[in-house]
Each structure stands twice: as structure tokens, then as C-alpha cells.
Amino acid sequence: MTYKYGADFESAMLANANCGGENVARGMVMGALLGAAHGASRIPSHLKDGLKDSASIAKDIEAFVATVKPPPGLQ
């Protein structure tokens, strides 16, 4: 499913939710893979902004990235 809808984050998440089964666990993995592959800018803002505590989540993500991203020149 990630391969089939990989270019369209929202379609991938909707297809996952609609197929049932272990869609929560699968959606978590798909979201992580697609987010890592394409970056947060490719995730539609209406999917992020509607999250409870979205501002806090964004700060946590920025802090994590700052911690694991190598300094300029070492990339």
C-alpha cells in the first residue's frame, strides 16, 4: 500500500484506514515511512493542524530533528 500510494500521503492514509484490520499499526508505519521519504512539507496541513496539541507535536519533532541532524559540513 505504501508503494502504491507513496506519492500521495493523504491517499495512502485513507486507503489504509478504509481497508480495516490492523490499520492503526500499519498507518503508524506508513506515516513514518512516507514522512521520512518526502518530509513534513508533503503531508497536507489539514491533517497535521487538526491534531490535538499539534503545536506541541511540531515542537517535539523540531527538537528531535535538531538533535539527530548532523551539523552543516558533516552531512
Side-chain angles (χ1 to χ4, degrees):
M1 196 173 322
T2 303
Y3 178 77
K4 182 176 181 179
Y5 298 100
D8 183 353
F9 185 90
E10 187 168 7
S11 291
M13 293 297 105
L14 287 173
N16 174 62
N18 289 329
C19 76
E22 291 293 326
N23 61 353
V24 173
R26 189 175 47 245
M28 182 174 55
V29 173
M30 287 174 59
L33 289 171
L34 294 173
H38 301 298
S41 64
R42 295 273 307 271
I43 300 172
S45 61
H46 68 275
L47 296 179
K48 297 182 282 186
D49 297 339
L51 294 172
K52 180 178 180 182
D53 295 326
S54 62
S56 177
I57 293 169
K59 285 181 185 178
D60 289 344
I61 292 170
E62 289 172 15
F64 174 76
V65 170
T67 301
V68 298
K69 186 176 180 180
L74 295 178
Q75 297 177 353

